[in-house]
Amino acid sequence: MKLKYFLAIAGFAMAISSCDEGTDNIGMSLISSNDDISVTTQEFDVVTASYIPDSVYTYNNELYVGHVTDPETNATVDCSFMMQFNMMEETHLPDKEYIISREDNEIIADSCLVILFFNYCYGDSTTAMKIRISELDHPVADGIHYSNFDPVKGGYIRKGGLSQSHMFTIDDMTVKDSIKNLSTYDRNVMFRLNSPYTDKNGVRYKNYGTYILRNYYEHPDYFKNSFAFIHQLCPGFYIETTDGQGVMANFLQAQLRVYYTEKGTDDNTYVSYLSASSTDEVLQTITVKNDKETLQKLVESDNDYTYLKTPVGIFTEVTFPVDEIKTAHVKDSLLSVSISFNRENNFEPLTKYTFSSPKKVLLIEKDSLNSFFEQVSNYNNKYAFYTTLSKNAYTFSNSNDINNLIVRMYNARQAGEKNDPLWLEKHPDWNKALLLPVSELTTLSSSTSTASTTIALINQMGLTSTRLKRGTPSNPIKLKVIYARFNN
């Protein structure tokens, strides 16, 4: 019988917590005559602060390159990335005698390209930028990689290896508008790797593509799968900005193409190419360099607001009054907890390229931050809660079950101090959570459907920014709690 009434109360609590009006009765008990049940609401004070992360876990599908300045803060952001190529298992090329592309009777590649396909960009697409591609000396090891991973400082760039720069604009002026308007046109930037190339053994080739082709026929086992290709032949490339300001490009994919001419079984000649792509199946890493000094000055000087800035900029730290919530109604059950983080409009735009506000955010127990993203998890309404920007606020209400977070924090402290008198000293963040922007990692719901399903939340690596009203001891953010109890 009591379970039935608690379910009814839970529904009632949801209705209360979703209302913006009618809060004049905060602290008043609502009595059910059916089973003498009391429902009580109470507000608690929450304080917030800006938090600058050192780095964040980066998922394997993020390719950003560029250098921009945040028009609100004048803090710079620089992104670069490392990519490997996925060689499909049992890749097949024509028998050697059918290859027509030759020099001194040795097989050569007609040309070799690394193509980066654009997804979108921030900034003026007509602004020139210069990026460099550098060959890796050895593969970056699989495992956990954060945004402060730097292949240059890590000694991954091959000394004397392939290195080439390319100046371009995202809106390529050399391509006619009639071509750009075609549905088949993909915006891209190409590195033409057609200069002489010398491998690590001192063997000289006409170009990088020739190095790939000849190894196919001399060492076919290098091509049996991606692991062999990466560890025996092509460990990957690093892409970085060397000149240009004001553009950040996001890439869908990179491709390595090696072109050659072959004779078909019909005695006609055909231009073909060997292709390998950067995909989730192989490793990709992104390196983010932020102007931490400027961000720190902003955080220290602003007492009115906290911030959400990506990539790897500023999060908002939330301190929950866990003890007060649990001890205010010792004999009551915690039914619902709700809180809103009100967004303030961004500063007056100094440029039309002011960063957009994050649309999706995660509220997560601070101590669980790294493990959550390393495990590529989805929100669970236990210690990780998800919401979207609505009515100029990020609101967590009964539907998010964030009461679970309060109970989890309280129980962790009770159990910890029971076993270790120094537990609180060792866990200073026990009652803290972080609010941060995220992206959705999706997959098709089925092989026959175009609908997608969110399978995980990952750190937002694009450019976003907003400021939130700060909760201070003198002007806190209000957290609303609904309790219930059986009086008998």
Side-chain angles (χ1 to χ4, degrees):
M1 179 63 72
K2 289 188 176 182
L3 175 60
K4 180 178 71 172
Y5 285 117
F6 260 111
L7 292 175
I9 294 169
F12 178 66
M14 182 179 295
I16 293 177
S17 62
S18 64
C19 292
D20 294 327
E21 299 177 351
T23 58
D24 294 338
N25 292 327
I26 294 296
M28 177 180 177
S29 295
L30 304 171
I31 308 298
S32 167
S33 59
N34 291 316
D35 203 15
D36 200 17
I37 300 171
S38 295
V39 176
T40 304
T41 62
Q42 187 170 341
E43 285 187 345
F44 294 89
D45 296 342
V46 170
V47 297
T48 60
S50 289
Y51 172 82
I52 300 178
D54 173 67
S55 58
V56 299
Y57 175 79
T58 58
Y59 186 66
N60 210 26
N61 68 343
E62 299 286 353
L63 301 179
Y64 286 91
V65 67
H67 185 89
V68 300
T69 298
D70 182 346
E72 291 181 348
T73 63
N74 287 323
T76 58
V77 182
D78 183 274
C79 291
S80 54
F81 65 87
M82 183 285 303
M83 60 186 177
Q84 296 174 345
F85 291 108
N86 183 16
M87 181 58 62
M88 301 298 292
E89 291 189 11
E90 307 304 330
T91 294
H92 178 72
L93 291 179
D95 290 342
K96 189 174 182 178
E97 59 267 25
Y98 287 96
I99 302 295
I100 296 175
S101 304
R102 291 177 182 263
E103 191 173 89
D104 298 330
N105 205 35
E106 292 287 342
I107 291 175
I108 60 171
D110 297 333
S111 64
C112 181
L113 303 176
V114 169
I115 310 173
L116 308 179
F117 292 97
F118 292 115
N119 185 19
Y120 65 88
C121 80
Y122 162 90
D124 187 347
S125 60
T126 64
T127 298
M129 62 186 300
K130 189 176 184 180
I131 59 177
R132 178 169 59 213
I133 185 171
S134 301
E135 177 190 10
L136 298 191
D137 178 79
H138 53 282
V140 174
D142 290 334
I144 295 172
H145 295 282
Y146 277 69
S147 56
N148 58 358
F149 171 72
D150 189 337
V152 177
K153 292 182 179 179
Y156 284 96
I157 307 303
R158 181 188 163 198
K159 295 181 180 178
L162 184 155
S163 181
Q164 181 178 311
S165 295
H166 181 62
M167 184 75 77
F168 71 99
T169 60
I170 291 176
D171 188 6
D172 192 344
M173 300 301 183
T174 65
V175 179
K176 295 180 179 179
D177 288 340
S178 58
I179 301 297
K180 294 178 184 177
N181 292 331
L182 295 175
S183 60
T184 54
Y185 176 72
D186 291 316
R187 292 191 302 170
N188 63 78
V189 57
M190 294 184 185
F191 290 97
R192 302 179 186 276
L193 310 183
N194 295 325
S195 299
Y197 173 76
T198 302
D199 71 9
K200 295 172 70 172
N201 296 319
V203 180
R204 188 172 175 84
Y205 299 89
K206 182 179 178 65
N207 53 37
Y208 189 78
T210 300
Y211 161 72
I212 298 293
L213 280 185
R214 289 188 185 174
N215 272 280
Y216 175 85
Y217 292 103
E218 294 171 7
H219 304 282
D221 54 310
Y222 292 178
F223 293 77
K224 66 180 180 180
N225 54 40
S226 294
F227 183 87
F229 183 71
I230 292 167
H231 286 79
Q232 299 294 339
L233 195 62
C234 177
F237 293 95
Y238 181 59
I239 309 292
E240 60 185 325
T241 307
T242 58
D243 198 7
Q245 163 72 28
V247 178
M248 183 70 71
N250 173 253
F251 296 97
L252 282 173
Q253 191 183 72
Q255 282 189 0
L256 171 68
R257 292 183 183 178
V258 179
Y259 288 86
Y260 58 91
T261 305
E262 64 174 306
K263 181 175 70 174
T265 55
D266 56 2
D267 288 334
N268 291 321
T269 60
Y270 300 91
V271 175
S272 303
Y273 64 85
L274 169 68
S275 176
S277 300
S278 62
T279 67
D280 290 355
E281 285 76 21
V282 293
L283 184 62
Q284 300 167 102
T285 66
I286 181 171
T287 302
V288 180
K289 298 177 182 177
N290 269 316
D291 183 355
K292 300 284 189 183
E293 183 177 346
T294 299
L295 294 180
Q296 188 62 45
K297 288 180 180 178
L298 172 66
V299 168
E300 293 175 353
S301 63
D302 196 336
N303 296 317
D304 297 322
Y305 302 103
T306 63
Y307 291 83
L308 299 179
K309 285 183 175 290
T310 63
V312 204
I314 306 176
F315 301 158
T316 289
E317 181 183 84
V318 185
T319 301
F320 287 104
V322 175
D323 285 337
E324 292 90 331
I325 294 171
K326 290 295 292 182
T327 58
H329 295 259
V330 177
K331 297 182 179 181
D332 296 352
S333 297
L334 193 63
L335 282 187
S336 171
V337 176
S338 59
I339 188 171
S340 286
F341 300 95
N342 293 318
R343 174 184 171 271
E344 297 289 326
N345 291 332
N346 289 348
F347 297 112
E348 288 298 320
L350 306 176
T351 168
K352 63 180 179 179
Y353 299 116
T354 299
F355 297 171
S356 61
S357 298
K359 300 298 186 292
K360 305 163 185 176
V361 298
L362 184 73
L363 179 69
I364 184 168
E365 182 182 54
K366 189 175 181 181
D367 288 340
S368 299
L369 178 69
N370 291 345
S371 60
F372 176 87
F373 288 109
E374 288 174 6
Q375 294 166 13
V376 193
S377 305
N378 206 346
Y379 67 95
N380 51 31
N381 287 350
K382 295 180 180 178
Y383 57 86
F385 308 84
Y386 170 79
T387 195
T388 58
L389 180 64
S390 178
K391 298 181 180 179
N392 220 31
Y394 303 101
T395 299
F396 296 87
S397 58
N398 191 67
S399 60
N400 301 106
D401 293 328
I402 64 169
N403 52 302
N404 291 335
L405 179 62
I406 303 300
V407 173
R408 175 185 172 91
M409 289 175 168
Y410 181 80
N411 290 342
R413 175 174 178 174
Q414 295 298 305
E417 290 188 313
K418 181 178 180 180
N419 299 316
D420 182 0
L422 298 178
W423 185 91
L424 195 59
E425 181 180 333
K426 296 176 182 177
H427 297 82
D429 296 328
W430 73 276
N431 62 340
K432 291 180 172 58
L434 292 175
L435 187 69
L436 64 150
V438 291
S439 297
E440 293 178 332
L441 182 63
T442 61
T443 186
L444 291 179
S445 299
S446 69
S447 59
T448 59
S449 172
T450 57
S452 61
T453 300
T454 300
I455 58 175
L457 297 175
I458 57 179
N459 281 295
Q460 170 62 259
M461 303 307 294
L463 297 167
T464 68
S465 177
T466 196
R467 52 181 180 164
L468 307 175
K469 187 64 179 176
R470 183 175 183 177
T472 63
S474 60
N475 189 21
I477 295 173
K478 294 298 182 179
L479 178 140
K480 183 177 178 180
V481 179
I482 300 176
Y483 300 92
R485 70 176 182 272
F486 290 97
N487 293 327
N488 296 324

